[in-house]
PDB file of all heavy atoms in Angstrom:
ATOM      1  N   GLU A1228     104.674 231.471  62.137  1.00 95.00           N
ATOM      2  CA  GLU A1228     106.042 231.359  62.663  1.00 95.00           C
ATOM      3  C   GLU A1228     106.979 232.471  62.196  1.00 95.00           C
ATOM      4  O   GLU A1228     108.132 232.405  62.467  1.00 95.00           O
ATOM      5  CB  GLU A1228     106.593 229.992  62.271  1.00 95.00           C
ATOM      6  CG  GLU A1228     105.780 228.867  62.854  1.00 95.00           C
ATOM      7  CD  GLU A1228     106.297 227.483  62.392  1.00 95.00           C
ATOM      8  OE1 GLU A1228     106.994 227.430  61.356  1.00 95.00           O
ATOM      9  OE2 GLU A1228     105.990 226.496  63.055  1.00 95.00           O
ATOM     10  N   ARG A1229     106.426 233.447  61.467  1.00 94.00           N
ATOM     11  CA  ARG A1229     107.252 234.543  60.926  1.00 94.00           C
ATOM     12  C   ARG A1229     106.913 235.859  61.562  1.00 94.00           C
ATOM     13  O   ARG A1229     105.774 236.333  61.409  1.00 94.00           O
ATOM     14  CB  ARG A1229     107.059 234.681  59.418  1.00 94.00           C
ATOM     15  CG  ARG A1229     107.473 233.418  58.647  1.00 94.00           C
ATOM     16  CD  ARG A1229     107.029 233.526  57.199  1.00 94.00           C
ATOM     17  NE  ARG A1229     105.556 233.458  57.195  1.00 94.00           N
ATOM     18  CZ  ARG A1229     104.801 233.867  56.175  1.00 94.00           C
ATOM     19  NH1 ARG A1229     105.381 234.336  55.065  1.00 94.00           N
ATOM     20  NH2 ARG A1229     103.498 233.810  56.212  1.00 94.00           N
ATOM     21  N   ARG A1230     107.827 236.441  62.313  1.00 93.00           N
ATOM     22  CA  ARG A1230     107.588 237.721  62.943  1.00 93.00           C
ATOM     23  C   ARG A1230     107.337 238.833  61.938  1.00 93.00           C
ATOM     24  O   ARG A1230     106.613 239.785  62.163  1.00 93.00           O
ATOM     25  CB  ARG A1230     108.780 238.048  63.830  1.00 93.00           C
ATOM     26  CG  ARG A1230     108.620 239.318  64.609  1.00 93.00           C
ATOM     27  CD  ARG A1230     109.740 239.497  65.604  1.00 93.00           C
ATOM     28  NE  ARG A1230     109.611 240.853  66.182  1.00 93.00           N
ATOM     29  CZ  ARG A1230     110.619 241.587  66.532  1.00 93.00           C
ATOM     30  NH1 ARG A1230     111.842 241.167  66.380  1.00 93.00           N
ATOM     31  NH2 ARG A1230     110.426 242.780  67.060  1.00 93.00           N
ATOM     32  N   GLY A1231     107.937 238.705  60.773  1.00 95.00           N
ATOM     33  CA  GLY A1231     107.795 239.696  59.709  1.00 95.00           C
ATOM     34  C   GLY A1231     106.623 239.506  58.795  1.00 95.00           C
ATOM     35  O   GLY A1231     106.486 240.230  57.797  1.00 95.00           O
ATOM     36  N   ARG A1232     105.743 238.594  59.120  1.00 96.00           N
ATOM     37  CA  ARG A1232     104.552 238.318  58.302  1.00 96.00           C
ATOM     38  C   ARG A1232     103.813 239.646  58.057  1.00 96.00           C
ATOM     39  O   ARG A1232     103.528 240.406  58.977  1.00 96.00           O
ATOM     40  CB  ARG A1232     103.630 237.319  58.980  1.00 96.00           C
ATOM     41  CG  ARG A1232     102.195 237.289  58.579  1.00 96.00           C
ATOM     42  CD  ARG A1232     101.973 236.377  57.383  1.00 96.00           C
ATOM     43  NE  ARG A1232     100.622 236.423  56.924  1.00 96.00           N
ATOM     44  CZ  ARG A1232      99.700 235.491  57.126  1.00 96.00           C
ATOM     45  NH1 ARG A1232     100.000 234.423  57.859  1.00 96.00           N
ATOM     46  NH2 ARG A1232      98.493 235.617  56.658  1.00 96.00           N
ATOM     47  N   GLN A1233     103.430 239.898  56.798  1.00 97.00           N
ATOM     48  CA  GLN A1233     102.712 241.116  56.488  1.00 97.00           C
ATOM     49  C   GLN A1233     101.225 240.880  56.764  1.00 97.00           C
ATOM     50  O   GLN A1233     100.655 239.893  56.301  1.00 97.00           O
ATOM     51  CB  GLN A1233     102.935 241.529  55.041  1.00 97.00           C
ATOM     52  CG  GLN A1233     104.302 241.994  54.747  1.00 97.00           C
ATOM     53  CD  GLN A1233     104.453 242.484  53.327  1.00 97.00           C
ATOM     54  OE1 GLN A1233     103.507 242.599  52.588  1.00 97.00           O
ATOM     55  NE2 GLN A1233     105.718 242.803  52.985  1.00 97.00           N
ATOM     56  N   LEU A1234     100.633 241.798  57.486  1.00 97.00           N
ATOM     57  CA  LEU A1234      99.187 241.710  57.788  1.00 97.00           C
ATOM     58  C   LEU A1234      98.470 242.868  57.130  1.00 97.00           C
ATOM     59  O   LEU A1234      99.035 243.975  57.020  1.00 97.00           O
ATOM     60  CB  LEU A1234      98.994 241.790  59.309  1.00 97.00           C
ATOM     61  CG  LEU A1234      99.748 240.694  60.118  1.00 97.00           C
ATOM     62  CD1 LEU A1234      99.645 241.013  61.591  1.00 97.00           C
ATOM     63  CD2 LEU A1234      99.220 239.339  59.787  1.00 97.00           C
ATOM     64  N   HIS A1235      97.232 242.612  56.726  1.00 97.00           N
ATOM     65  CA  HIS A1235      96.449 243.623  56.044  1.00 97.00           C
ATOM     66  C   HIS A1235      95.065 243.783  56.721  1.00 97.00           C
ATOM     67  O   HIS A1235      94.654 242.899  57.485  1.00 97.00           O
ATOM     68  CB  HIS A1235      96.296 243.217  54.570  1.00 97.00           C
ATOM     69  CG  HIS A1235      97.573 243.012  53.886  1.00 97.00           C
ATOM     70  ND1 HIS A1235      98.264 244.064  53.312  1.00 97.00           N
ATOM     71  CD2 HIS A1235      98.336 241.913  53.668  1.00 97.00           C
ATOM     72  CE1 HIS A1235      99.398 243.597  52.752  1.00 97.00           C
ATOM     73  NE2 HIS A1235      99.474 242.286  52.988  1.00 97.00           N
ATOM     74  N   PRO A1236      94.363 244.881  56.433  1.00 96.00           N
ATOM     75  CA  PRO A1236      93.028 245.037  57.055  1.00 96.00           C
ATOM     76  C   PRO A1236      92.185 243.811  56.830  1.00 96.00           C
ATOM     77  O   PRO A1236      92.127 243.228  55.735  1.00 96.00           O
ATOM     78  CB  PRO A1236      92.463 246.277  56.296  1.00 96.00           C
ATOM     79  CG  PRO A1236      93.703 247.070  55.959  1.00 96.00           C
ATOM     80  CD  PRO A1236      94.754 246.037  55.613  1.00 96.00           C
ATOM     81  N   GLY A1237      91.496 243.417  57.878  1.00 96.00           N
ATOM     82  CA  GLY A1237      90.678 242.221  57.865  1.00 96.00           C
ATOM     83  C   GLY A1237      91.319 241.006  58.496  1.00 96.00           C
ATOM     84  O   GLY A1237      90.630 240.058  58.906  1.00 96.00           O
ATOM     85  N   ASP A1238      92.673 240.994  58.534  1.00 98.00           N
ATOM     86  CA  ASP A1238      93.361 239.880  59.143  1.00 98.00           C
ATOM     87  C   ASP A1238      93.123 239.890  60.652  1.00 98.00           C
ATOM     88  O   ASP A1238      92.963 240.954  61.275  1.00 98.00           O
ATOM     89  CB  ASP A1238      94.867 239.966  58.913  1.00 98.00           C
ATOM     90  CG  ASP A1238      95.278 239.598  57.454  1.00 98.00           C
ATOM     91  OD1 ASP A1238      94.475 238.942  56.796  1.00 98.00           O
ATOM     92  OD2 ASP A1238      96.387 239.989  57.051  1.00 98.00           O
ATOM     93  N   THR A1239      93.054 238.672  61.250  1.00 97.00           N
ATOM     94  CA  THR A1239      92.962 238.566  62.728  1.00 97.00           C
ATOM     95  C   THR A1239      94.221 237.923  63.294  1.00 97.00           C
ATOM     96  O   THR A1239      94.839 237.090  62.661  1.00 97.00           O
ATOM     97  CB  THR A1239      91.734 237.763  63.125  1.00 97.00           C
ATOM     98  OG1 THR A1239      91.837 236.431  62.560  1.00 97.00           O
ATOM     99  CG2 THR A1239      90.422 238.383  62.658  1.00 97.00           C
ATOM    100  N   VAL A1240      94.548 238.325  64.489  1.00 97.00           N
ATOM    101  CA  VAL A1240      95.687 237.786  65.207  1.00 97.00           C
ATOM    102  C   VAL A1240      95.230 237.383  66.624  1.00 97.00           C
ATOM    103  O   VAL A1240      94.572 238.173  67.306  1.00 97.00           O
ATOM    104  CB  VAL A1240      96.815 238.825  65.312  1.00 97.00           C
ATOM    105  CG1 VAL A1240      97.992 238.298  66.174  1.00 97.00           C
ATOM    106  CG2 VAL A1240      97.330 239.191  63.924  1.00 97.00           C
ATOM    107  N   THR A1241      95.564 236.175  67.024  1.00 97.00           N
ATOM    108  CA  THR A1241      95.138 235.653  68.334  1.00 97.00           C
ATOM    109  C   THR A1241      96.394 235.265  69.138  1.00 97.00           C
ATOM    110  O   THR A1241      97.250 234.534  68.638  1.00 97.00           O
ATOM    111  CB  THR A1241      94.224 234.465  68.199  1.00 97.00           C
ATOM    112  OG1 THR A1241      93.106 234.804  67.393  1.00 97.00           O
ATOM    113  CG2 THR A1241      93.737 233.949  69.548  1.00 97.00           C
ATOM    114  N   VAL A1242      96.447 235.770  70.345  1.00 96.00           N
ATOM    115  CA  VAL A1242      97.521 235.433  71.306  1.00 96.00           C
ATOM    116  C   VAL A1242      96.889 235.234  72.677  1.00 96.00           C
ATOM    117  O   VAL A1242      96.129 236.083  73.152  1.00 96.00           O
ATOM    118  CB  VAL A1242      98.586 236.573  71.386  1.00 96.00           C
ATOM    119  CG1 VAL A1242      99.678 236.231  72.381  1.00 96.00           C
ATOM    120  CG2 VAL A1242      99.144 236.871  70.054  1.00 96.00           C
ATOM    121  N   ASN A1243      97.183 234.107  73.317  1.00 91.00           N
ATOM    122  CA  ASN A1243      96.686 233.856  74.654  1.00 91.00           C
ATOM    123  C   ASN A1243      95.182 234.053  74.772  1.00 91.00           C
ATOM    124  O   ASN A1243      94.657 234.661  75.752  1.00 91.00           O
ATOM    125  CB  ASN A1243      97.397 234.686  75.699  1.00 91.00           C
ATOM    126  CG  ASN A1243      98.865 234.369  75.792  1.00 91.00           C
ATOM    127  OD1 ASN A1243      99.264 233.241  75.604  1.00 91.00           O
ATOM    128  ND2 ASN A1243      99.696 235.368  75.996  1.00 91.00           N
ATOM    129  N   GLY A1244      94.460 233.638  73.751  1.00 91.00           N
ATOM    130  CA  GLY A1244      92.964 233.729  73.805  1.00 91.00           C
ATOM    131  C   GLY A1244      92.436 235.092  73.486  1.00 91.00           C
ATOM    132  O   GLY A1244      91.227 235.306  73.486  1.00 91.00           O
ATOM    133  N   GLN A1245      93.287 236.068  73.226  1.00 94.00           N
ATOM    134  CA  GLN A1245      92.831 237.433  72.885  1.00 94.00           C
ATOM    135  C   GLN A1245      93.009 237.631  71.397  1.00 94.00           C
ATOM    136  O   GLN A1245      94.119 237.409  70.838  1.00 94.00           O
ATOM    137  CB  GLN A1245      93.651 238.476  73.677  1.00 94.00           C
ATOM    138  CG  GLN A1245      93.162 239.874  73.454  1.00 94.00           C
ATOM    139  CD  GLN A1245      93.884 240.872  74.336  1.00 94.00           C
ATOM    140  OE1 GLN A1245      94.736 240.518  75.134  1.00 94.00           O
ATOM    141  NE2 GLN A1245      93.619 242.159  74.177  1.00 94.00           N
ATOM    142  N   THR A1246      91.926 238.068  70.714  1.00 96.00           N
ATOM    143  CA  THR A1246      91.982 238.258  69.277  1.00 96.00           C
ATOM    144  C   THR A1246      91.788 239.723  68.931  1.00 96.00           C
ATOM    145  O   THR A1246      90.937 240.410  69.474  1.00 96.00           O
ATOM    146  CB  THR A1246      90.860 237.438  68.596  1.00 96.00           C
ATOM    147  OG1 THR A1246      91.079 236.072  68.928  1.00 96.00           O
ATOM    148  CG2 THR A1246      90.908 237.570  67.083  1.00 96.00           C
ATOM    149  N   VAL A1247      92.579 240.184  67.933  1.00 97.00           N
ATOM    150  CA  VAL A1247      92.440 241.531  67.401  1.00 97.00           C
ATOM    151  C   VAL A1247      92.277 241.416  65.919  1.00 97.00           C
ATOM    152  O   VAL A1247      92.769 240.491  65.296  1.00 97.00           O
ATOM    153  CB  VAL A1247      93.646 242.430  67.800  1.00 97.00           C
ATOM    154  CG1 VAL A1247      93.726 242.667  69.270  1.00 97.00           C
ATOM    155  CG2 VAL A1247      94.938 241.951  67.220  1.00 97.00           C
ATOM    156  N   ARG A1248      91.570 242.395  65.324  1.00 97.00           N
ATOM    157  CA  ARG A1248      91.404 242.449  63.877  1.00 97.00           C
ATOM    158  C   ARG A1248      91.969 243.731  63.386  1.00 97.00           C
ATOM    159  O   ARG A1248      91.744 244.815  63.980  1.00 97.00           O
ATOM    160  CB  ARG A1248      89.936 242.370  63.461  1.00 97.00           C
ATOM    161  CG  ARG A1248      89.720 242.420  61.985  1.00 97.00           C
ATOM    162  CD  ARG A1248      88.231 242.434  61.617  1.00 97.00           C
ATOM    163  NE  ARG A1248      87.630 241.173  61.987  1.00 97.00           N
ATOM    164  CZ  ARG A1248      86.615 241.049  62.839  1.00 97.00           C
ATOM    165  NH1 ARG A1248      86.090 242.135  63.439  1.00 97.00           N
ATOM    166  NH2 ARG A1248      86.100 239.883  63.125  1.00 97.00           N
ATOM    167  N   ILE A1249      92.702 243.710  62.294  1.00 97.00           N
ATOM    168  CA  ILE A1249      93.274 244.900  61.687  1.00 97.00           C
ATOM    169  C   ILE A1249      92.211 245.654  60.960  1.00 97.00           C
ATOM    170  O   ILE A1249      91.520 245.092  60.113  1.00 97.00           O
ATOM    171  CB  ILE A1249      94.483 244.542  60.774  1.00 97.00           C
ATOM    172  CG1 ILE A1249      95.529 243.811  61.582  1.00 97.00           C
ATOM    173  CG2 ILE A1249      95.006 245.787  60.084  1.00 97.00           C
ATOM    174  CD1 ILE A1249      96.612 243.176  60.781  1.00 97.00           C
ATOM    175  N   ALA A1250      92.074 246.933  61.329  1.00 94.00           N
ATOM    176  CA  ALA A1250      91.130 247.783  60.634  1.00 94.00           C
ATOM    177  C   ALA A1250      91.868 248.653  59.638  1.00 94.00           C
ATOM    178  O   ALA A1250      93.089 248.940  59.841  1.00 94.00           O
ATOM    179  CB  ALA A1250      90.389 248.677  61.698  1.00 94.00           C
ATOM    180  N   GLY A1251      91.223 249.055  58.636  1.00 81.00           N
ATOM    181  CA  GLY A1251      91.827 249.945  57.629  1.00 81.00           C
ATOM    182  C   GLY A1251      92.046 251.333  58.189  1.00 81.00           C
ATOM    183  O   GLY A1251      91.697 251.642  59.369  1.00 81.00           O
ATOM    184  N   ARG A1252      92.611 252.196  57.417  1.00 72.00           N
ATOM    185  CA  ARG A1252      92.864 253.570  57.858  1.00 72.00           C
ATOM    186  C   ARG A1252      91.545 254.251  58.216  1.00 72.00           C
ATOM    187  O   ARG A1252      90.553 254.049  57.557  1.00 72.00           O
ATOM    188  CB  ARG A1252      93.533 254.359  56.737  1.00 72.00           C
ATOM    189  CG  ARG A1252      94.937 253.866  56.412  1.00 72.00           C
ATOM    190  CD  ARG A1252      95.511 254.773  55.368  1.00 72.00           C
ATOM    191  NE  ARG A1252      95.804 253.939  54.232  1.00 72.00           N
ATOM    192  CZ  ARG A1252      96.541 254.312  53.213  1.00 72.00           C
ATOM    193  NH1 ARG A1252      97.011 255.543  53.172  1.00 72.00           N
ATOM    194  NH2 ARG A1252      96.789 253.489  52.231  1.00 72.00           N
TER     195      ARG A1252
END
Side-chain angles (χ1 to χ4, degrees):
E1228 298 176 341
R1229 298 170 293 162
R1230 183 174 173 213
R1232 160 86 184 257
Q1233 291 185 7
L1234 304 171
H1235 302 276
D1238 286 340
T1239 59
V1240 175
T1241 304
V1242 179
N1243 295 327
Q1245 185 175 356
T1246 301
V1247 296
R1248 179 182 297 119
I1249 299 170
R1252 293 183 241 193

